[in-house]
Amino acid sequence: MRSLTLAEARERSSLITVTSYAVELDLDQGPDVFGSRTVLRFGCTTPGAGSWVDLKAHSVESIVLNGESLDPAQLADGRVALPDLAADNELAVVATMAYSHDGQGLHRATDPADGQDYVYGHLFLDAAPSVFACFDQPDLKAPYDVTVHAPEDWTVVGNGAATRAADGTWTLATTRPLATYFMTVCAGPYVSVRDEHDGIPLGIHARASLREPLERHAAELFDVTKRSFDYFHGLFGIRYPFGEYHQVFVPEFNAGAMENPGCVTFRDQYLYRGAATRDELLTRANTVSHEMSHMWFGDLVTMQWWDDLWLNESFAEYMSHRCLVEATDYTDAWVDSSIVRKVWGYGAERSPSTHPVAGVEALDAQSALQNFDGISYAKGAAALRQLIAYVGDDRFIAGVRAYLTDKSFGNGTLADFLRAIEASSGKDLEAWSRAWLLTADRDTISVEIDEQNGVVERAQVLRESPADRPADRPHTFDVAGWTDGCELGRVSTTVTGPVTTLPELEGTPEPAVLVPNASDLTWARVRLSDSTVAALPAQLPQIPDEQARAVVWSALIDGVHGASVSPDAFLDVFDAAWPQETNSSILTRVAAYAEHRIVPYFVPRPEQDAATARLNRAAAGLLEGAEPGTTESLAAARLVAGTSDDEALLRAWADGEGLPAGLEDDGDFRWIVVRNLAARGLIGVDEVDAFRAKDDTLQGGLNALMCRASLPDPEAKAWAWRQLTGREGRSNYEMVHLARGLWVAPDDALVADYVPRYFTDVPAMAGWVGEDALSRVVLVAFPRVFTEETARLSAKTIAREDLTPAVHRSLVDADAELREALASRQTFGAAV
Ligand SMILES: [Zn+2]
């Protein structure tokens, strides 16, 4: 299907004004297809001109434009030409559409727990025409009237309040004007919990088999929802405009969540079946708040074209953290941002695919998607924090309010947004936005100290911008130092040149650990001094400032990726500091990063068992001392389960014996144990199947696939490869879980055959897997055989001209990580 180009979108929106959509969906036609009838009313500024409507149908029954039938056979490449338009037009399209299984369009999944089917619409970014005939571009907004026919026992939720008539038809209330990609319908035997706040009816919904966790988590979810509503109402000064507010936890969702007005969809792993760490609850609260902030920024005011999608996400990323800190108990949300979101964004910045936050002209819709990454979220949010430091918070918020008011129910651009902030602040943002938004890459900041007898004589902040992407970014941040847990000095500074002196530090004792950007206000590579890195094992656990500790961990991770910190130095800090960590985000995320990234990527294969054993010792020590049922205990138990080589312990835990308190009936915890047993070859297919039978759920099925693919025998790998790359009709989630298990192997020889096959078979999957899902599969399935030969095949594949944009982008990113791993092994290999 061809992707809409910017030129086409501009031309069509200059010609067309959409008045309304009436969409009728028949979801009672079995598991494969559904009926779709659209009546589209629209104006045309130049009567007599032609245009087209977007439609990706399984079959088309009829197309009637202003009473005249058009030949359905003329549907080509996802478009139907509309000739000779009148000033006012009515288009009626009757079609049959296919359900999807890759999380794009109207996704349908069967829950193995009870055999029930569930449907949800995810029409971002250009999947709307696979559900109804439409002018699919973000600046052609219109109100929707949606009706749905569904099986007798189904519930229907959508953008407008749903009511069920006597004949079983569901009617959704007429919406406010929406962009096409926001339209959604969720239908199935969903179970619901309802509430109300400040006049807004609230609902949360999930599969019937998730009733227990839904009810268990409902109070927390509603609490964050209500606090976020109050906070955003106060901050934006505009009432939530979309009627009811539903949050639907749906199966096999590609992203975290989607901000459909009035009907937000979430991945249903967020309804944690077993024990959840505080960090997991924080992450979910952050997602709830993030999606809600989009109701104003994104939904009420939508970007004109996809190249400003970043502004939606940067804004929501910033606002959700601000809301959590100011309006909920998750007052450490910025710590989470440092150790989760910014670590992700810095990874994107290190890749050759990095790009400016804004101003990358997206010539078509699909190419916009390729620049939608950690830069759009984490760097954009950091840039907004720097913008606030530059213009002042009151003026920033006044500008945001003016922008949202001025563009309500319409569209805006970056230029509109900056103009609003310029008007409210009286500051010219031309140079600021050129440096921060329009130039890729990041500065490196470090602090240089001259000392005499342990007293600072001179302290300077050094700011280096990349030679090939020069920029003059102003940074506002602070520098802080500690010795034995005592803060010896903290200085706020605004850096506007390559060297900035910090006179406040002169004459103060030189600290053992000095942290630039200690409160993590800016976006930069933080270079820790050699003496600071050497002091960290002893000093980091004593630093009372959790935000600064997160900055240190982030800098270490960045340093390992950049081959400036050895994996061994990282593990030294891990051994000493991790078990004493008290912040839930740092504790859980650093553990996961060490286990799943640092050791398998950066530690050479012969040393990996010893490195894993180090992680295991640290985790076992923490588990022993931690209070049962706490985040510490849970994080430690998970790391023990994933890293232990103690067969007796693993078998006991898998059989439910001697489990740490709170994990007795935790199916997800059991799968961590079973996966470890499978990866070590201590169990076989039959036992994996037996554990699957104990957890016959969607999540259990996915874990069983991953475990089976992890088995260290050639037959299991061959099976996994066929399941992953064959046209077996595997869903998006199933493919990712197969890929996760595939490369798990005690030695490279077991999986070496699949390295060349990856570079031919996986790109070919673009023939039947959607781009959004495939981009994840390409990343997760990338060979974990870290050799020059893999790098050679990778480079050769990236140079191919027939790759789809998503495959190309993901290959570039995975290849960058391979090269980081190789560089680190080359630099530190002998010393580990
Ligand atoms: Zn978002």
Side-chain angles (χ1 to χ4, degrees):
M1 292 286 169
R2 71 206 242 216
S3 183
L4 180 72
T5 68
L6 172 56
E8 289 170 335
R10 281 188 180 145
E11 189 198 324
R12 190 161 61 176
S13 61
S14 72
L15 197 64
I16 302 282
T17 319
V18 188
T19 313
S20 67
Y21 283 97
V23 179
E24 196 181 337
L25 301 177
D26 181 1
L27 306 184
D28 204 6
Q29 299 188 0
D32 300 320
V33 296
F34 60 96
S36 166
R37 288 168 178 267
T38 310
V39 176
L40 214 175
R41 294 196 172 81
F42 61 100
C44 174
T45 54
T46 315
S51 189
W52 78 94
V53 69
D54 300 300
L55 181 63
K56 299 171 188 169
H58 176 73
S59 64
V60 182
E61 277 69 69
S62 69
I63 306 170
V64 178
L65 175 64
N66 298 329
E68 305 266 335
S69 282
L70 303 180
D71 182 1
Q74 61 149 302
L75 169 65
D77 223 6
R79 298 179 179 191
V80 178
L82 303 176
D84 193 20
L85 294 171
D88 295 298
N89 302 274
E90 183 183 286
L91 175 71
V93 176
V94 180
T96 300
M97 312 299 221
Y99 289 110
S100 80
H101 300 285
D102 61 5
Q104 297 168 247
L106 206 58
H107 182 98
R108 185 167 178 134
T110 303
D111 185 344
D114 52 15
Q116 303 267 28
D117 278 16
Y118 294 87
V119 164
Y120 65 87
H122 181 66
L123 308 196
F124 177 86
L125 166 131
D126 58 1
S130 68
V131 178
F132 61 101
C134 57
F135 297 116
D136 191 27
Q137 61 189 72
D139 62 345
L140 287 176
K141 291 183 166 186
Y144 286 76
D145 279 293
V146 177
T147 52
V148 180
H149 308 281
E152 184 78 27
D153 56 340
W154 282 21
T155 293
V156 173
V157 188
N159 305 99
T163 47
R164 189 166 188 252
D167 69 349
T169 300
W170 293 79
T171 304
L172 308 187
T174 307
T175 69
R176 305 302 298 260
L178 308 181
T180 42
Y181 79 101
F182 289 136
M183 190 277 207
T184 191
V185 163
C186 300
Y190 284 101
V191 291
S192 308
V193 183
R194 291 173 194 274
D195 201 342
E196 185 270 344
H197 180 67
D198 192 12
I200 304 167
L202 307 175
I204 53 175
H205 316 268
R207 284 181 279 132
S209 66
L210 293 175
R211 178 189 291 278
E212 186 279 324
L214 177 75
E215 290 175 350
R216 177 155 46 90
H217 289 286
E220 153 90 8
L221 284 164
F222 281 134
D223 182 58
V224 174
T225 302
K226 293 172 185 180
R227 287 168 187 254
S228 299
F229 265 125
D230 290 348
Y231 184 73
F232 291 134
H233 278 144
L235 196 65
F236 300 143
I238 300 172
R239 281 283 300 178
Y240 167 70
F242 297 111
E244 300 188 353
Y245 195 72
H246 295 276
Q247 299 177 92
V248 191
F249 292 84
V250 299
E252 302 183 317
F253 196 75
N254 284 323
M258 176 66 204
E259 66 268 22
N260 311 299
C263 188
V264 178
T265 41
F266 293 80
R267 57 168 49 223
D268 61 16
Q269 291 95 327
Y270 274 139
L271 290 178
Y272 307 110
R273 302 189 302 170
T277 62
R278 184 174 175 286
D279 175 59
E280 285 170 327
L281 299 178
L282 186 159
T283 300
R284 185 178 66 192
N286 188 43
T287 308
V288 167
S289 185
H290 174 113
E291 304 310 327
M292 191 188 292
S293 75
H294 276 312
M295 296 298 137
W296 287 265
F297 212 106
D299 296 5
L300 176 63
V301 181
T302 307
M303 76 265 132
Q304 189 87 38
W305 178 243
W306 296 112
D307 49 8
D308 274 334
L309 190 57
W310 73 273
L311 189 54
N312 284 359
E313 296 310 338
S314 306
F315 188 87
E317 176 90 6
Y318 168 73
M319 279 300 164
S320 64
H321 287 88
R322 177 175 173 145
C323 172
L324 289 196
V325 169
E326 294 188 6
T328 76
D329 298 333
Y330 298 109
T331 51
D332 58 337
W334 287 119
V335 177
D336 195 73
S337 162
S338 301
I339 201 63
V340 183
R341 311 295 291 179
K342 289 177 89 168
V343 164
W344 172 45
Y346 288 147
E349 193 84 292
R350 285 190 305 265
S351 172
S353 65
T354 192
H355 53 87
V357 174
V360 184
E361 195 174 47
L363 293 178
D364 64 52
Q366 278 299 330
S367 68
L369 196 59
Q370 305 320 311
N371 278 336
F372 191 51
D373 54 21
I375 302 287
S376 314
Y377 288 79
K379 184 178 184 180
L384 288 179
R385 290 184 92 183
Q386 287 296 312
L387 178 62
I388 291 166
Y390 190 66
V391 301
D393 190 55
D394 290 354
R395 287 162 184 182
F396 174 76
I397 295 299
V400 168
R401 286 178 167 211
Y403 172 78
L404 292 175
T405 305
D406 189 35
K407 304 286 179 189
S408 277
F409 299 110
N411 297 78
T413 63
L414 171 62
D416 296 329
F417 179 74
L418 291 177
R419 259 198 300 279
I421 307 292
E422 283 182 329
S424 65
S425 69
K427 284 203 177 183
D428 180 2
L429 295 176
E430 208 276 311
W432 182 91
S433 60
R434 188 158 16 88
W436 270 107
L437 301 178
L438 303 180
T439 310
D441 217 336
R442 57 184 169 156
D443 299 328
T444 299
I445 54 172
S446 57
V447 179
E448 203 174 71
I449 297 271
D450 294 337
E451 59 86 33
Q452 185 92 39
N453 301 325
V455 175
V456 176
E457 289 203 316
R458 194 177 61 152
Q460 295 180 318
V461 174
L462 307 183
R463 184 200 72 180
E464 298 162 52
S465 96
D468 55 339
R469 297 188 185 102
D472 184 14
R473 298 177 192 88
H475 294 260
T476 299
F477 59 86
D478 59 354
V479 175
W482 290 267
T483 299
D484 299 337
C486 272
E487 189 174 301
L488 297 183
R490 185 182 287 260
V491 185
S492 284
T493 184
T494 295
V495 168
T496 55
V499 181
T500 306
T501 56
L502 302 174
E504 299 90 336
L505 290 182
E506 286 168 20
T508 65
E510 188 197 8
V513 168
L514 191 63
V515 184
N517 195 29
S519 299
D520 206 3
L521 297 176
T522 197
W523 179 264
R525 176 185 286 112
V526 170
R527 186 185 294 144
L528 301 172
S529 68
D530 291 348
S531 64
T532 287
V533 172
L536 285 174
Q539 296 288 330
L540 186 60
Q542 302 184 63
I543 294 177
D545 179 345
E546 58 189 3
Q547 181 64 66
R549 295 199 303 273
V551 170
V552 167
W553 280 113
S554 168
L556 288 173
I557 288 170
D558 216 7
V560 172
H561 280 273
S564 63
V565 173
S566 71
D568 213 33
F570 181 94
L571 291 172
D572 286 344
V573 183
F574 187 91
D575 286 345
W578 179 81
Q580 299 186 57
E581 182 54 58
T582 52
N583 179 275
S584 65
S585 302
I586 301 175
L587 188 78
T588 56
R589 300 302 183 134
V590 169
Y593 211 89
E595 182 188 359
H596 298 298
R597 194 54 58 114
I598 301 289
V599 172
Y601 279 64
F602 295 97
V603 176
R605 182 72 100 170
E607 318 292 338
Q608 285 184 3
D609 284 352
T612 301
R614 287 178 77 170
L615 300 183
N616 185 255
R617 272 196 302 278
L622 176 58
L623 181 60
E624 205 175 293
E627 202 177 307
T630 57
T631 288
E632 286 77 13
S633 166
L634 185 52
R638 287 179 183 170
L639 188 54
V640 170
T643 57
S644 178
D645 62 357
D646 180 344
E647 184 180 350
L649 174 83
L650 293 172
R651 283 196 180 272
W653 280 6
D655 294 335
E657 292 157 16
L659 283 161
L663 293 172
E664 290 82 0
D665 293 310
D666 193 325
D668 290 324
F669 181 77
R670 184 169 59 215
W671 282 114
I672 301 175
V673 179
V674 174
R675 186 190 178 192
N676 190 353
L677 284 166
R680 292 175 190 277
L682 299 172
I683 56 173
V685 177
D686 292 348
E687 279 167 290
V688 171
D689 286 346
F691 285 113
R692 162 77 210 266
K694 280 189 191 174
D695 183 18
D696 196 10
T697 62
L698 210 50
Q699 211 54 35
L702 294 168
N703 278 297
L705 284 180
M706 179 167 65
C707 289
R708 189 167 166 192
S710 301
L711 294 171
D713 72 73
E715 240 172 83
K717 300 302 179 193
W719 172 84
W721 193 257
R722 279 197 310 274
Q723 295 294 313
L724 172 65
T725 61
R727 290 170 174 261
E728 311 287 336
R730 288 294 185 181
S731 76
N732 52 337
Y733 270 37
E734 289 173 331
M735 288 186 284
V736 164
H737 280 77
L738 286 161
R740 281 194 186 134
L742 185 87
W743 297 103
V744 173
D747 59 80
D748 288 349
L750 180 63
V751 286
D753 284 355
Y754 299 100
V755 176
R757 293 183 66 178
Y758 168 88
F759 291 105
T760 55
D761 297 4
V762 173
M765 291 164 70
W768 63 93
V769 181
E771 289 279 270
D772 202 8
L774 187 56
S775 65
R776 286 168 173 77
V777 172
V778 170
L779 277 177
V780 178
F782 192 86
R784 299 286 191 91
V785 175
F786 297 91
T787 61
E788 293 298 336
E789 175 60 8
T790 306
R792 190 187 66 78
L793 289 170
S794 175
K796 203 174 123 199
T797 310
I798 288 168
R800 271 168 54 179
E801 281 179 0
D802 60 335
L803 301 176
T804 64
V807 170
H808 182 264
R809 168 66 202 260
S810 289
L811 275 178
V812 167
D813 291 344
D815 178 80
E817 288 198 320
L818 166 68
R819 282 162 209 284
E820 288 178 344
L822 290 174
S824 171
R825 289 171 184 215
Q826 184 143 28
T827 306
F828 301 111
V832 170

